[in-house]
Amino acid sequence: MKRLILSVLLLASVVLLGERSASAVSIDFVPSVAAVNAGDVFSVDVVATGLGAAPADIVSAFDILVSFDPGIVTPTGFSFTNNLGDPALFEADNSATFGSNPFATPGFADLFALSYLFDGDLLTLQSALLSYPDVPLATIDFTANVGIPNGSNPNLAFVWDAFHDVKGSNNTPITVPEPGTILLIGAGMAGLGLSRRRKAKAANI
Amino acid sequence: MLRRGKINKVFKFLGAAIIAVGFIAPPAQAQTSSTNVAYIQTQTVSNGGSFPFSSNLAFSAFNFFQLPYTQVNAANLGAGGVCGASACDTVLLNVVSGSVTGVGSFYCNVNGLLSAQAKTDLISFVNNGGKLIIYDSECSTQNYGWLPYPFTTSNPGAQGATGTVSIVEDNDLSSNVPADTHYINAGILGSTTDAVGDMNVMTTRDPAWCLDMSGTNVNQVTGPTHTYARYGNGLIIYNGFDVDVMNTGTAPNPAVGSGNLAKIWLHELQVPFNPSPLASLPCGVSVVGITLAPPSATNDLSLGQNSHTVTATLKNLTGVPQAGVLVSFSVLSGPNAGASGACSADITCHSDANGQVSFTYSSNGGTGNDTINACYNDNQGQQVCSQNVTKDWVSGGTKCDLNSDGKIDRTDIQAILRLLHTTVPPSSPLADLDNNGIININDARGCTLKCTNARCAP
């Protein structure tokens, strides 16, 4: 029975990793799941990863909708990086709707930023980052309402629809994996790791 | 054991992931119903009666949170305030509240006891998309001069009288149609309870208030008693009924007098807002008796759309169309201010059997926003005017140039950003660069690449 379970998880990993490899660029949470106690404040970065393959070699604009479980976490703050330009120098504009805005839809945070820079200027700016080809975009601060390691999960996920997108070079949309895919990859990888441990132990006997 | 534990963890994680995927849904633009309701300041009505809250099965979908009148402010209405981690989306202003611990009575003194800041914050709450529901059952006349649309009322007080009330507009608050889920039996409500005879009715009116129900109270004053008004993205509802027959356990039921009051209360909580769609609340009849439509529109002059027609509808307070009334139309401001036009179907600008008369005028070619209204003289010879409506004249020659100043710059891009997540119409087609009917980040960045100057400098 266990072998069957692990085989299913392994197969899921292979299938989903195949999907991911087809999407060179993705938008991720870093870290993907935080381990904190009730009342702790923790931050999650929103990062574009895997840039470098034209036409999605930069992020020129984004409008990102993040869903979360308001029973488990409460958003308390946000900040944007200057990786799309410095708003103080009129190189970019950004805004967010959640938390202190009493009219934000519960369980969702909307963040958008837009660069006024040319694509070439953005490539110079972003490729100079030490993290490149990963480009941090924003940070969301949360307070944990419950202890997350104790069987809870904030269920952080991106919601992509007609109003939410990430733009690369020449205003081309950046391909991103479905939010559920991200979560399932985690489960599949766990299964893969466990399977390898079992085989290693069997070989030692 | 260690492996089994890990397998269990994997399954827990996988299960959580599947559940998460299954329940992720995009938020709606408009809120389909109230969820978190702050009530000022008691559930009970000091003149008699009480509001059904969550313990009543029909109202279990809503969360209710007490907000003493001394603590009404933006912070308490926002996230982390009285409604908890999620912000309040609705406020019940129970003008007939008694005392709560540490706070004196709020009884029928809404203007005197609410602080200036509290009033400002409540109005701001509505402007930003919140819903404000006002009840002043059997109170003396209240001062609502602090509302964005002030009004005064005729208040009979506690007389225990019956009366007549009419549903003027079938909408999501009430309907005359028995098969409609929003059905209210106005006859039973008026004849078997004192809800109508003792009701408060508007006597001075602002055209922004839309008429849902009107009737005649025991003082023989006829006027609007259940009205609504959009303000910003939000909604204000005024309910002048005497609610002393409604209690915490009253079930919404149109076959019972008190059940109709509970059903109206339920509809008030359920009606969509932020903003309220016209399909739910059409505002077909303004409380002043004259309504002008459409409320806003955009014409693209480059497509030959160089004329505009507005239609005035005249109805009395029971919703009966008024024929033969002379109506005057005015373009109050904008590029075509003072423009003359032609009336139809009656060329002398008198309303027809449906109470309607239309007015068409032509653009002089300028772009910008016209403001229009329509007026008539009532039986006392006093001029009564409709709400203002607008017409946006644009020229489709330059997408992204929202202010039509001949260049695309940061001002235009920021105007597009303010329109994010809206649809065309009513949003400007000039902002919809890709012509897909919605304004999103693709339009904003696409227009940025068309800026006249580097970095979209003005």
Side-chain angles (χ1 to χ4, degrees), chain B residues 280-362:
Chain B
S280 297
L281 297 175
C283 195
V285 185
S286 165
V287 295
V288 296
I290 182 168
T291 309
L292 198 57
S296 65
T298 300
N299 269 23
D300 188 340
L301 291 165
S302 71
L303 300 178
Q305 300 168 346
N306 55 6
S307 69
H308 181 50
T309 299
V310 292
T311 299
T313 302
L314 290 95
K315 293 183 178 178
N316 69 10
L317 288 174
T318 58
V320 177
Q322 302 297 294
V325 179
L326 178 63
V327 178
S328 61
F329 296 86
S330 301
V331 182
L332 300 170
S333 63
N336 302 291
S340 57
C343 287
S344 60
D346 179 64
I347 59 172
T348 64
C349 297
H350 287 80
S351 56
D352 63 13
N354 294 320
Q356 293 186 318
V357 58
S358 296
F359 172 77
T360 302
Y361 72 99
S362 296

Side-chain angles (χ1 to χ4, degrees), chain B residues 43 64 80 86 108-109 124 149 360 365 387 401 410 416 440 453:
Chain B
Q43 181 180 7
F64 295 90
S86 299
C108 293
N109 190 7
S124 177
Y149 311 123
T360 302
Q387 87 283 20
D401 184 13
R410 205 159 49 236
I416 295 171
N440 58 18
N453 300 316

Side-chain angles (χ1 to χ4, degrees), chain A residues 148-195:
Chain A
I148 289 177
N150 301 325
S152 300
N153 189 312
N155 292 336
L156 288 179
F158 297 107
V159 181
W160 303 111
D161 56 26
F163 292 104
H164 298 92
D165 203 355
V166 181
K167 314 305 275 187
S169 295
N170 199 26
N171 207 23
T172 305
I174 288 178
T175 306
V176 293
E178 292 298 317
T181 304
I182 294 169
L183 293 168
L184 288 171
I185 284 171
M189 290 300 290
L192 181 61
L194 195 55
S195 174

Side-chain angles (χ1 to χ4, degrees), chain A:
Chain A
M1 181 60 184
K2 288 177 184 173
R3 287 190 177 184
L4 177 61
I5 293 165
L6 291 171
S7 298
V8 170
L9 290 173
L10 185 59
L11 181 60
S13 285
V14 170
V15 170
L16 294 170
L17 282 171
E19 282 189 16
R20 183 174 168 81
S21 64
S23 302
V25 182
S26 66
I27 306 299
D28 295 320
F29 296 112
V30 178
S32 58
V33 176
V36 293
N37 297 315
D40 283 356
V41 175
F42 67 99
S43 298
V44 175
D45 293 334
V46 177
V47 181
T49 60
L51 292 167
D57 48 358
I58 57 168
V59 175
S60 59
F62 62 84
D63 188 351
I64 289 174
L65 186 63
V66 175
S67 69
F68 56 89
D69 186 334
I72 298 173
V73 294
T74 300
T76 54
F78 65 90
S79 59
F80 291 90
T81 67
N82 283 352
N83 294 334
L84 271 66
D86 187 348
L89 301 176
F90 302 110
E91 294 174 340
D93 263 323
N94 55 51
S95 185
T97 303
F98 70 95
S100 60
N101 185 328
F103 310 103
T105 305
F108 293 91
D110 192 309
L111 304 94
F112 75 80
L114 169 78
S115 178
Y116 292 124
L117 299 175
F118 294 126
D119 285 357
D121 295 332
L122 281 169
L123 183 59
T124 301
L125 172 67
Q126 294 176 7
S127 63
L129 295 171
L130 292 176
S131 62
Y132 194 80
D134 295 350
V135 175
L137 303 176
T139 300
I140 310 175
D141 302 323
F142 291 97
T143 297
N145 301 326
V146 297
I148 289 177
N150 301 325
S152 300
N153 189 312
N155 292 336
L156 288 179
F158 297 107
V159 181
W160 303 111
D161 56 26
F163 292 104
H164 298 92
D165 203 355
V166 181
K167 314 305 275 187
S169 295
N170 199 26
N171 207 23
T172 305
I174 288 178
T175 306
V176 293
E178 292 298 317
T181 304
I182 294 169
L183 293 168
L184 288 171
I185 284 171
M189 290 300 290
L192 181 61
L194 195 55
S195 174
R196 283 179 175 165
R197 283 176 60 106
R198 285 170 59 88
K199 285 181 179 176
K201 184 165 185 178
N204 290 335
I205 293 174

Side-chain angles (χ1 to χ4, degrees), chain B residues 97-250:
Chain B
S97 289
S99 301
V100 296
T101 303
V103 179
S105 173
F106 187 57
Y107 181 74
C108 293
N109 190 7
V110 65
N111 185 57
L113 291 178
L114 272 184
S115 68
Q117 189 60 51
K119 293 169 187 168
T120 299
D121 288 350
L122 275 177
I123 293 167
S124 177
F125 169 82
V126 176
N127 187 42
N128 288 321
K131 184 192 292 184
L132 174 64
I133 306 172
I134 303 171
Y135 275 74
D136 59 4
S137 170
E138 292 186 322
C139 273
S140 56
T141 299
Q142 296 296 293
N143 183 340
Y144 291 115
W146 54 278
L147 289 172
Y149 311 123
F151 61 92
T152 56
T153 51
S154 161
N155 298 39
Q159 305 274 343
T162 57
T164 56
V165 66
S166 302
I167 294 169
V168 178
E169 177 182 88
D170 290 330
N171 56 36
D172 282 6
L173 291 173
S174 66
S175 170
N176 285 301
V177 181
D180 192 316
T181 56
H182 304 103
Y183 175 62
I184 296 295
N185 192 323
I188 286 180
L189 180 63
S191 62
T192 66
T193 75
D194 60 355
V196 176
D198 291 359
M199 70 185 173
N200 306 324
V201 299
M202 288 184 175
T203 50
T204 64
R205 302 158 197 164
D206 185 294
W209 284 103
C210 307
L211 186 54
D212 180 48
M213 293 187 232
S214 66
T216 304
N217 63 21
V218 69
N219 289 349
Q220 296 305 302
V221 178
T222 299
T225 192
H226 198 233
T227 62
Y228 61 91
R230 292 175 173 84
Y231 180 69
N233 284 328
L235 180 69
I236 309 174
I237 298 171
Y238 171 72
N239 187 322
F241 286 118
D242 172 9
V243 297
D244 57 15
V245 296
M246 179 171 70
N247 280 296
T248 56
T250 305

